[in-house]
Each structure stands twice: as structure tokens, then as C-alpha cells.
Amino acid sequence: YTDGDFSPPAIYGDTVYVKEAYHDTWKCYLCAIYKDNGTVKWKKYIGYARTAVAPPSIAEDGTIYAVARGTLAAFYPNGTLKWKKYLDYSSFSAPAIDDNGNIYVATQGNDESSWSGSYIYAFDPNGTLLWKHHCYGTYGSLIIDKNGIIYGAGSHGLYAFNPNGTLRWVYKLSGKLWFTPAIGEDGTIYATGGSLYAIEPRDAADLRITAFYCGLTVGCVKIKVKNVGKYPAYNVTCTARIDMINLLVDGRD
């Protein structure tokens, strides 16, 4: 391939998926290529775009999601179009997928001073719009943590949304954050613009089991849980599952 502008690749099974856009025709395609020999499996039109930029994203069931400016498309692994949705503004972010299969994309408006056109869209796996919320000049792609919180970076800082679409917080910074943020194993969020930022999430409660006691009488089990995070934990409900084995005592189970 030498003609088009290409996105970073995404790999699923024996296939490499990559977006290809053409400057002269302003058309963007999703290409499926066998990773062992480079043979093209199929090539499908996504939408109107001059640059590929963001890579496609792949769900656990193999569905491939890709954006082309104002279009979000979903394809089955065989290249059949599952659905296509048109966004109100241009998107240059890779779709983010949560544990329930919901898809999140961000758009970037033309007026950075007013953030006009900057939104987060949430779709279910069938393409139904779950919610749409104004955000803050998104660049790069969105990321999702283990609790389903959606993070994005833009012209005015880092922001977080709850899975239901409500704004969780905004961390305002002096410079633009040009790239996709990353999440560390401990929940720390890293973002870069003119500088590298490491930001602890505002909801950094961290519950850990600190002690376990199993007594000699039936039902005497005690578990001690402690919040070792730096922020309080509110309205906490804990569920414990204890796996036991049958012990042979006096010929009985």
C-alpha cells in the first residue's frame, strides 16, 4: 500500500485491521488484511475523510468500530456493515469500548475557545444512542478505567464522565493535552501536552481485605476490609464469596 494515509493497526485473530484515507477523493476505508501474508481479506467504505488518524477498535465479539470524521461505523468480522451512525461534528478518536460492549467516541469542535462541537457520544452495541454530553475540546481518544469511568483530554485539561453520561470532574491545565491519556495499574492517569502530567483520580478509594478469620463454630467467619486509598469511600457494600471444600469428619461430609 502506498496511495493512502493510514491509521495505526488493530489486530484480532488472524487479521490486521487498518483505516486508509485518500487526500484526493476524501474517502476513508476499513481494510482487513491477513497478518501472516499481507493479503487483503476485504476493504469497506466508512465515510468522508481526508486522513485516517485514529485506529479502529475491536469488541470481544469481533465487531470492528471505526470513525471517519463525522461517521461511526460498525462492521462484522466478515466485512458486512452492522450499522452506521452520523455524528454532529468531526471525530478523530478511536472508539472506546466498555465491559458491556458500549461504544464511546468524542468529537472535536472548530471553536476551541467555546468548546462548540466537542461532545462525547455513547452508543450501545446495536447502535442506539445512549447519551450525548458536551465535553472539553477533545484531542486523541477516550479511555475507560476498571470502574467504567470515561476519561478524555483536550484543549482545557483532563475530564472524567460517569457511565451514565454525567460529568464527574474536570482537571484544568494551562496547556492543551494533545494525545490520548493512559491509566496506570494503580489508577493514576497520565496525560501529555507541553508537559507530562500524572493525576490521581478524584475517586481514589481503594478497598482491600486486610484480615480473614474462620472460627471453629458454624458461621463464624470474619473479614476485615479497609480503605487504603487517599479519599473516602461512600455508600460501600461488600460481597464476599468463600469457596470451601468438603471435609470428611466421622464418616460424614
Side-chain angles (χ1 to χ4, degrees):
Y1 285 91
T2 58
D3 296 334
D5 174 64
F6 294 92
S7 72
I11 300 175
Y12 185 88
D14 65 348
T15 308
V16 176
Y17 298 97
V18 64
K19 285 165 49 184
E20 179 184 17
Y22 294 90
H23 289 262
D24 53 348
T25 62
W26 285 67
K27 291 183 177 180
C28 185
Y29 298 87
L30 177 65
C31 303
I33 302 169
Y34 288 105
K35 69 179 183 181
D36 291 337
N37 56 25
T39 304
V40 178
K41 183 185 294 187
W42 49 259
K43 179 178 177 179
K44 300 294 181 177
Y45 178 70
I46 305 171
Y48 174 80
R50 191 179 181 185
T51 179
V53 186
S57 301
I58 307 171
E60 289 187 1
D61 64 358
T63 302
I64 308 104
Y65 299 97
V67 296
R69 291 185 70 89
T71 302
L72 170 64
F75 294 90
Y76 291 105
N78 64 2
T80 303
L81 179 67
K82 184 176 182 181
W83 50 259
K84 184 178 287 189
K85 298 296 178 179
Y86 298 98
L87 311 174
D88 297 327
Y89 300 91
S90 297
S91 176
F92 302 98
S93 68
I97 307 169
D98 67 14
D99 291 340
N100 297 316
N102 298 322
I103 307 99
Y104 304 87
V105 293
T107 59
Q108 178 186 328
N110 296 322
D111 186 356
E112 295 180 6
S113 61
S114 65
W115 309 328
S116 175
S118 296
Y119 290 91
I120 290 181
Y121 295 76
F123 296 92
D124 72 9
N126 296 317
T128 302
L129 180 66
L130 299 175
W131 52 264
K132 171 186 171 184
H133 199 290
H134 194 263
C135 62
Y136 298 86
T138 300
Y139 300 102
S141 303
L142 303 171
I143 55 174
I144 305 172
D145 70 9
K146 63 182 181 180
N147 300 312
I149 308 302
I150 305 117
Y151 301 93
S155 55
H156 297 275
L158 189 76
Y159 54 85
F161 279 86
N162 293 309
N164 63 2
T166 57
L167 180 65
R168 196 174 185 88
W169 50 258
V170 178
Y171 195 100
K172 294 185 178 181
L173 303 170
S174 58
K176 297 178 181 179
L177 301 180
W178 287 100
F179 305 106
T180 305
I183 303 177
E185 187 176 358
D186 62 352
T188 301
I189 307 160
Y190 299 92
T192 183
S195 302
L196 177 63
Y197 300 90
I199 302 169
E200 185 176 47
R202 300 286 180 87
D203 54 341
D206 191 356
L207 301 179
R208 303 287 179 90
I209 295 176
T210 58
F212 176 84
Y213 172 76
C214 184
L216 299 177
T217 58
V218 176
C220 184
V221 175
K222 295 181 180 180
I223 301 174
K224 185 177 181 180
V225 178
K226 181 180 179 181
N227 178 15
V228 298
K230 292 190 176 181
Y231 293 93
Y234 299 102
N235 300 321
V236 174
T237 300
C238 295
T239 301
R241 189 188 76 177
I242 303 173
D243 294 326
M244 307 290 289
I245 61 173
N246 291 328
L247 298 177
L248 191 63
V249 180
D250 296 331
R252 297 172 296 173
D253 287 342

